[in-house]
Amino acid sequence: MEYSNRRIIIFDTTLRDGEQAPGASMNTEDKVVITRQLLRLGVDVIEAGFPVSSPGEFESVQAVAREAGESAVVCALARALEKDIIACVRALANAKRSRIHTGIGVSQQHLQGKLRMTEAQAIEQAVKAVSLAREFSDDVQFYAEDAARADREFLFTMLEAAIGAGATVINIPDTTGYSLPVEFGKLIAEVRAKVPGIDAVTLAVHCHNDLGLASALAIEGLRNGAEQAECTINGLGERAGNTALEELVMAISLHSEELGMHTTIKTEELVRASRLITQVTGIRVQPNKAIVGANAFVHSSGIHQDGVIKQRDTYEIIDPTTVGYKGNELLLSSLSGRAALAERLTEIDLPIESQHQLDEVYQRFVEIADRKRIVYDEDLEVLMQEYGRSFDSLWRIKTLQVNCGFPLIATATLVLIDPSGEEHIASTTGTGPIDASYKAADLIINEQLELLEFSVMSITRGIDALGEVSVLIQTDDGSSFTGRAADGDIIVSSIKAYLNAINRMLRTRARQSRSS
């Protein structure tokens, strides 16, 4: 079968499958911010979440649907169960463009080991689920989980039944990343050739990266007739992750003619999308990550430097500006005024909304600029993110003083402002300045919290770089919440991140209280 210049549908599942990566949990506010960036990228479908899993997830799907409007299809996931499908219907009730994504495992590992079903029972349940979903939606996607390891004849029978029940999109996942690209391509070609009715629906692929082959698997699936690719920003996802959107899109872009396909993704937004996901989840991209890694366009070898200076494409197959890297990033300094700051924020799509906001943001900008010779775009992105966090805070830090060293005992004196504006002070000791600061916060807020994870990374450049801290806390009822914050002082970043997690916890409790 010949394919020429097909437009590939980009289905982004960062908010659903990406969130399943350990430590990558996102609240509703996070998902809305990410949705805005996905819309700037121009993705075709946004998989917003799994509504039946929790009230918070249900609310997030609703919020994403509101934010997306007409700009993208918003998809919600359901197992082949009535309660899951009804939850999707309710969560997507006000979506302008919506899709229900339901399915069932089809490999023997899933049928016998997880579902405890016969093949006939699985087909029956799948048909019921698709039929129910079609009662509420004209756009129903069916996933055949672990299709790459399934018996071929049973898989084809299952897909035919799903199409007969009304599925409009058929999703073929390599759920475990097991396949070799050539074999996965053959599978897609066989589905195209042997499943009745397949030409009347959209054929999709969903690949995992357990062998580091997710992008290659997706390309082979598309090359053999699939029309939709499911992927995530930074390849985020369970285990080794999913097909990385930025890798797939740029591979198609560079080889569009020989592949006979293209996307409508705005590639200049890729780097910003990558950085946003890192900031929201705290999961860093390795420096040598393709397309968006810090070293992707850096040349240290003298031979390479000489070649690039003489002619860029000697060692660079991609112009860095096409994926969002700026040619000139030396932008602002301590001598810059409010007008220059406001103009640059508008240029990087972080516009100031009022004079009051500009005054507040400028004061924080001056603090950063006084410490740094140059303020880069990523500094401004962090500044605006921190402004949003402080604006939405319940508990806020007023002052923090720490004393530490060897052989001194670390002590921290902390002053916090509660939601009503009242100040509270506590002083205590700890094994180090961060431990002492956290213990002081616990004394003030009077919560029983366990710190499960703590990580710190530099998110801007230079010895005076801003450091971001990510934390994961757990309450006594087993609920967990993430928090993130950035500052030039890592101790201040740490207490801000801790308070960010606590504020998320308190907002979640307030929402649950209102809905009960």
Side-chain angles (χ1 to χ4, degrees), residues 10-21 24 26 34 38 41 43 45-47 205-209 214-215 218 229-249 270 273-274 277 281 285 289-290 292:
I10 298 299
F11 178 114
D12 184 274
T13 185
T14 304
L15 301 181
R16 200 278 301 171
D17 204 335
E19 189 185 24
Q20 293 175 200
M26 309 168 199
I34 292 169
L38 294 177
L41 270 171
V43 302
V45 186
I46 299 173
E47 189 165 43
V205 290
H206 177 111
C207 303
H208 279 259
N209 204 40
S215 294
E230 306 197 357
C231 40
T232 62
I233 305 297
N234 294 343
L236 198 66
E238 287 192 281
R239 305 184 314 277
N242 293 266
T243 301
L245 183 149
E246 61 276 2
E247 294 177 10
L248 180 71
V249 166
L270 289 171
S274 172
I277 294 302
T281 64
V285 170
K289 168 75 169 65
V292 295

Side-chain angles (χ1 to χ4, degrees), residues 150-171:
D151 174 78
R152 291 292 186 266
E153 293 307 314
F154 169 62
L155 173 63
F156 301 154
T157 302
M158 172 67 84
L159 299 181
E160 181 181 0
I163 294 170
T168 55
V169 182
I170 292 294
N171 177 18

Side-chain angles (χ1 to χ4, degrees), residues 11 44-48 61 64-66 68-77 88-101 133-134 136-141 168-169:
F11 178 114
D44 300 289
V45 186
I46 299 173
E47 189 165 43
V61 174
V64 170
R66 285 193 299 269
E70 295 278 1
S71 300
V73 174
V74 176
C75 179
L77 185 73
C88 289
V89 172
R90 291 174 54 231
L92 295 170
N94 295 317
K96 299 294 185 182
R97 301 167 63 198
S98 63
R99 176 182 298 177
I100 297 173
H101 187 188
R134 274 307 301 263
F136 299 96
S137 176
D138 292 332
D139 192 353
V140 174
Q141 179 166 320
T168 55
V169 182

Side-chain angles (χ1 to χ4, degrees), residues 28-224:
T28 299
E29 292 86 351
D30 292 332
K31 290 195 173 187
V32 169
V33 170
I34 292 169
T35 296
R36 291 171 185 157
Q37 181 58 35
L38 294 177
L39 295 176
R40 283 192 287 266
L41 270 171
V43 302
D44 300 289
V45 186
I46 299 173
E47 189 165 43
F50 182 31
V52 79
S53 63
S54 72
E57 187 77 347
F58 184 93
E59 180 183 335
S60 293
V61 174
Q62 288 182 312
V64 170
R66 285 193 299 269
E67 190 68 31
E70 295 278 1
S71 300
V73 174
V74 176
C75 179
L77 185 73
R79 295 165 297 183
L81 299 173
E82 180 178 351
K83 65 176 183 178
D84 288 33
I85 293 166
I86 296 303
C88 289
V89 172
R90 291 174 54 231
L92 295 170
N94 295 317
K96 299 294 185 182
R97 301 167 63 198
S98 63
R99 176 182 298 177
I100 297 173
H101 187 188
T102 188
I104 198 166
V106 294
S107 69
Q108 288 303 309
Q109 290 90 336
H110 280 249
L111 291 171
Q112 296 176 8
K114 182 177 76 171
L115 299 172
R116 303 289 197 268
M117 284 184 179
T118 64
E119 292 180 350
Q121 289 172 328
I123 290 175
E124 181 183 6
Q125 186 164 331
V127 167
K128 286 181 179 179
V130 173
S131 298
L132 177 61
R134 274 307 301 263
E135 291 181 18
F136 299 96
S137 176
D138 292 332
D139 192 353
V140 174
Q141 179 166 320
F142 176 78
Y143 66 83
E145 189 174 8
D146 206 22
R149 294 193 294 173
D151 174 78
R152 291 292 186 266
E153 293 307 314
F154 169 62
L155 173 63
F156 301 154
T157 302
M158 172 67 84
L159 299 181
E160 181 181 0
I163 294 170
T168 55
V169 182
I170 292 294
N171 177 18
I172 308 296
D174 185 355
T175 304
T176 61
Y178 173 78
S179 298
L180 292 174
V182 65
E183 294 301 323
F184 189 68
K186 287 179 181 178
L187 169 60
I188 300 304
E190 286 186 37
V191 169
R192 271 287 181 209
K194 297 183 179 181
V195 176
I198 195 69
D199 289 335
V201 302
T202 299
L203 184 57
V205 290
H206 177 111
C207 303
H208 279 259
N209 204 40
D210 297 69
L211 293 176
L213 297 172
S215 294
L217 289 165
I219 288 290
E220 278 298 291
L222 295 171
R223 203 171 66 83
N224 283 276

Side-chain angles (χ1 to χ4, degrees), residues 421-444:
E422 184 179 350
E423 294 184 7
H424 304 261
I425 186 169
S427 183
T428 188
T429 61
T431 56
I434 295 173
D435 181 51
S437 301
Y438 282 13
K439 286 178 177 176
D442 290 342
L443 285 175
I444 293 172

